[in-house]
Amino acid sequence: MSKTASPALYELIKSLTKSEKRYFKIYASRHTIGEVNNGIRIFDFIDQQEEFDEEDLYTHFKGEAFLNQFPITKNRLYEQIISALDAFHAKNDIDAQLYTMLHAIKILYSKGLYDHANREIKKTKRLAKKHNKIAILLQIANEEKRIIETRGYQNANYETLKLHAEESIDLTHQQDFYNNLWLVKSQLFVLLNQTGQVRSKEDVFEYEKIYDAYKAIKQPKNISFENQYLIYHFKSAYYFAILEHENSLNMLKENLSHFKNNNGQFKKYPNQYFSILTNIIHLEAKNGNNKAIHTYLNELKALPNALKSSLTEDLAIKLFSSINSIELKILNHEGNFDKAIALAPEIKKGMEQYNAELTPSRKAYLAFNMSIAYFGKDEFNQSLKWINLILNSKELDQKEDIVSFAHLVNLLLHFELKNNILLPYAIKNTKRFLSKRKRTFKFETIFLKHLTKISNAQDKYKIEQLLQNIESEIEALKNDPFESVAFEYFDFHVWLTSKVKNKPFHLVKREAFLAKSA
């Protein structure tokens, strides 16, 4: 047995829905001769595994002849599952139907049945146009050209050739537009992922260069559904990056309407639809529009039921992490820490269930928001456990902002727990961590400077004076558009206010929220 066994078969089987698994077994029994039982037996064994372990499989099937050539057996089973999936989704997958019809056109052409091929071309073209399948329409156009040429331009005239050429040119423009737009959109997201939202005028300039490249792209006469989605998607991300949140929100809402005005599209592009909803909620939260937040959150929660059998495990995982992260963030923002903590059992269960599949970043956001929920109820030891999940993660990209703010919240927790011996070391560790980052908020520098002074102060009244000083400086940063992003993670200003006023954090947080909502 290979010491580096591939988990590909395991991953494929685990990705299947109940309906797909049931169909595979029916398909396998009809299409496999001689190895039906072995294939299904291997399938069933892998399906019940909680994690990939090929050695366990070898032990279970010890003595079976197929183990002598198990890599070949695995490949056959993998290919058979793919074939079953192809057959299972063919009726409901427009692309699969169109490619089958396109293949039929080629077969009819090869047999010299050109009239038959032309009839099939008309049906295929109608379906492809209905669903805006530009790439397939280009292939159909090429098949039309082949038939026209092969038949020696029989029944062809200048007008029909011109119309055909114009149609092909328009399709090519749409495909070129998509390719160019996809490139600038991807460049924008690479920059956004690497550097985050702008923190200076120099950062704005970098994003403007990408937007100028977008404006230089020549748009075709007709915009396909996918291209229109990409336009809104690109613009919403651009405006978000340069802190024009109102424009970003408008573009997101345009994109949501774009989906709703094209019935059924959200089922074809569920990941994109889900992303639009989550981003709208995020920006509505910035505006403090609580009614809209909960309306869109309920729509997001309804997605699993709306998708039903087409809900993939990958999307189920994204929905689990995003819905819970968003709900936690909303409840924390509102100061409803009791309700946020009540989500903990379900979140722990989901994190255990999806542990291997959840990205480090998604785990971090869940852990961070759970930590804030416990912080809000003064349950600092519980809060520290969740923060440590982030600080102890070896998989998480240390450049992500959430890691920085986990370090800062960690300092507050040691301060609240009166870990006077540990706090100075934690501050040094945080300074060392931040010094390695190329991008640091002014907020982080100021906060650390003052917290260092507070940790060194021996007199109670001196600490109170220092807290008042830092509170005024932090409040000024909260109104700075380049610095305000820092307060989306945790409202350090509210915490400082609670210390200055000597009032519980959750009361000050709730009062601040209600005052802003009034």
Side-chain angles (χ1 to χ4, degrees):
M1 182 186 69
S2 171
K3 292 183 180 180
T4 57
S6 170
L9 181 60
Y10 171 87
E11 292 169 350
L12 177 61
I13 291 172
K14 287 297 182 179
S15 74
L16 304 180
T17 64
K18 289 181 180 179
S19 298
E20 289 169 339
K21 290 174 184 177
R22 184 167 56 250
Y23 184 84
F24 164 73
K25 291 184 181 181
I26 296 170
Y27 181 91
S29 65
R30 291 175 179 172
H31 293 82
T32 306
I33 300 172
E35 291 186 7
V36 174
N37 292 335
N38 286 341
I40 293 177
R41 285 168 66 208
I42 295 166
F43 180 95
D44 285 339
F45 183 81
I46 292 175
D47 187 32
Q48 58 81 36
Q49 283 187 315
E50 293 187 2
E51 58 184 37
F52 175 63
D53 187 346
E54 192 160 293
E55 188 174 341
D56 188 29
L57 188 146
Y58 269 78
T59 301
H60 181 78
F61 290 107
K62 186 176 181 180
E64 299 275 3
F66 64 78
L67 290 178
N68 296 328
Q69 292 184 310
F70 193 54
I72 296 173
T73 303
K74 278 200 306 180
N75 286 338
R76 285 178 182 169
L77 179 55
Y78 187 96
E79 290 169 3
Q80 192 175 53
I81 294 171
I82 293 295
S83 296
L85 286 172
D86 179 55
F88 180 77
H89 290 286
K91 291 182 181 179
N92 299 317
D93 190 301
I94 295 300
D95 285 333
Q97 292 178 43
L98 287 168
Y99 279 115
T100 298
M101 294 168 80
L102 193 61
H103 191 218
I105 292 167
K106 292 179 179 182
I107 291 171
L108 292 169
Y109 172 85
S110 69
K111 291 183 172 294
L113 299 171
Y114 307 125
D115 289 336
H116 294 243
N118 275 326
R119 284 197 295 270
E120 195 67 22
I121 281 173
K122 288 178 182 178
K123 288 193 296 181
T124 310
K125 187 184 283 189
R126 279 198 302 270
L127 187 61
K129 281 184 175 180
K130 181 181 177 181
H131 294 280
N132 296 309
K133 297 297 180 181
I134 307 302
I136 293 177
L137 282 167
L138 276 169
Q139 292 185 61
I140 294 168
N142 289 335
E143 292 303 317
E144 286 183 293
K145 289 186 181 75
R146 280 212 304 167
I147 293 171
I148 290 170
E149 289 175 342
T150 303
R151 300 185 81 168
Y153 299 94
Q154 182 183 342
N155 299 323
N157 58 51
Y158 179 78
E159 287 301 319
T160 58
L161 292 174
K162 185 181 177 183
L163 286 171
H164 189 276
E166 287 174 350
E167 185 178 36
S168 296
I169 290 167
D170 180 58
L171 289 169
T172 303
H173 282 171
Q174 289 197 55
Q175 192 65 33
D176 287 345
F177 179 72
Y178 171 83
N179 291 333
N180 289 320
L181 179 57
W182 185 89
L183 175 61
V184 294
K185 183 269 297 185
S186 300
Q187 289 171 336
L188 176 74
F189 274 88
V190 167
L191 183 60
L192 188 57
N193 290 338
Q194 289 178 348
T195 64
Q197 291 178 279
V198 297
R199 299 184 194 172
S200 66
K201 291 181 179 179
E202 290 75 20
D203 290 343
V204 174
F205 177 69
E206 290 301 314
Y207 282 106
E208 286 178 341
K209 285 197 296 185
I210 294 176
Y211 195 78
D212 287 341
Y214 156 73
K215 290 193 293 184
I217 302 171
K218 185 180 178 181
Q219 290 195 11
K221 292 179 183 178
N222 302 308
I223 305 291
S224 68
F225 175 86
E226 290 88 347
N227 282 341
Q228 188 60 66
Y229 157 76
L230 270 183
I231 291 170
Y232 290 138
H233 183 45
F234 171 80
K235 287 185 175 181
S236 63
Y238 167 72
Y239 288 127
F240 175 78
I242 64 171
L243 304 179
E244 292 188 17
H245 294 139
E246 198 60 38
N247 284 334
S248 179
L249 183 59
N250 289 337
M251 287 298 103
L252 286 165
K253 288 181 177 179
E254 289 283 356
N255 222 355
L256 190 66
S257 297
H258 180 53
F259 268 89
K260 290 181 176 180
N261 292 335
N262 288 271
N263 190 33
Q265 291 292 343
F266 86 95
K267 288 188 177 180
K268 296 177 187 176
Y269 306 97
N271 281 287
Q272 289 85 340
Y273 190 79
F274 147 80
S275 179
I276 292 167
L277 277 176
T278 55
N279 289 329
I280 287 176
I281 294 167
H282 175 71
L283 290 179
E284 289 288 18
K286 278 180 172 290
N287 291 338
N289 193 345
N290 301 306
K291 185 177 179 181
I293 290 167
H294 289 283
T295 299
Y296 288 115
L297 180 59
N298 288 335
E299 190 172 344
L300 189 64
K301 286 181 174 180
L303 261 186
N305 187 55
L307 292 168
K308 293 181 180 177
S309 60
S310 60
L311 181 66
T312 63
E313 185 178 31
D314 176 64
L315 187 56
I317 292 166
K318 288 178 181 176
L319 285 166
F320 157 75
S321 62
S322 292
I323 288 171
N324 283 291
S325 286
I326 289 168
E327 190 157 21
L328 277 172
K329 192 170 183 179
I330 290 169
L331 292 171
N332 288 339
H333 176 68
E334 294 173 350
N336 286 323
F337 299 115
D338 285 322
K339 289 184 178 180
I341 289 172
L343 297 174
E346 191 64 27
I347 288 171
K348 286 179 182 177
K349 181 182 175 183
M351 288 181 77
E352 289 172 3
Q353 180 183 351
Y354 300 127
N355 180 51
E357 292 84 7
L358 275 173
T359 64
S361 181
R362 289 183 182 278
K363 290 178 187 176
Y365 277 94
L366 283 167
F368 188 88
N369 286 307
M370 276 308 316
S371 176
I372 301 307
Y374 280 108
F375 189 105
K377 291 300 293 179
D378 293 346
E379 295 186 33
F380 301 122
N381 284 312
Q382 284 295 323
S383 180
L384 190 59
K385 287 180 182 178
W386 286 96
I387 279 295
N388 282 334
L389 290 179
I390 301 172
L391 299 181
N392 296 333
S393 174
K394 294 180 180 178
E395 300 175 313
L396 193 61
D397 185 350
Q398 298 299 298
K399 294 178 183 178
E400 292 198 44
D401 285 342
I402 197 165
V403 183
S404 295
F405 292 106
H407 274 278
L408 296 183
V409 172
N410 180 56
L411 298 182
L412 296 188
L413 287 167
H414 285 303
F415 178 84
E416 292 284 10
L417 289 165
K418 296 181 171 56
N419 292 335
N420 299 326
I421 296 175
L422 286 174
L423 184 57
Y425 292 103
I427 290 173
K428 285 182 181 179
N429 184 44
T430 302
K431 285 181 177 177
R432 187 163 51 249
F433 169 80
L434 292 175
S435 68
K436 295 177 182 178
R437 285 168 54 90
K438 293 180 180 180
R439 291 165 57 84
T440 304
F441 288 103
K442 291 178 186 175
F443 161 80
E444 295 166 347
T445 304
I446 291 171
F447 189 82
L448 271 176
K449 180 184 71 176
H450 284 285
L451 198 59
T452 303
K453 291 179 181 179
I454 291 169
S455 69
N456 292 329
Q458 301 297 319
D459 184 85
K460 177 185 176 182
Y461 298 103
K462 179 67 174 174
I463 291 174
E464 289 177 357
Q465 184 60 47
L466 288 167
L467 284 168
Q468 288 177 350
N469 291 341
I470 185 176
E471 197 238 351
S472 60
E473 281 197 67
I474 294 298
E475 184 178 15
L477 289 176
K478 195 174 183 179
N479 298 318
D480 183 337
F482 292 125
E483 294 292 318
S484 61
V485 177
F487 298 90
E488 292 177 17
Y489 289 88
F490 177 73
D491 201 329
F492 294 90
H493 178 245
V494 167
W495 176 78
L496 287 162
T497 303
S498 73
K499 290 294 150 190
V500 171
K501 292 183 176 181
N502 197 26
K503 290 177 69 174
F505 172 75
H506 71 275
L507 288 180
V508 180
K509 179 62 180 174
R510 187 66 181 162
E511 287 170 2
F513 169 73
L514 292 174
K516 193 174 181 181
S517 302

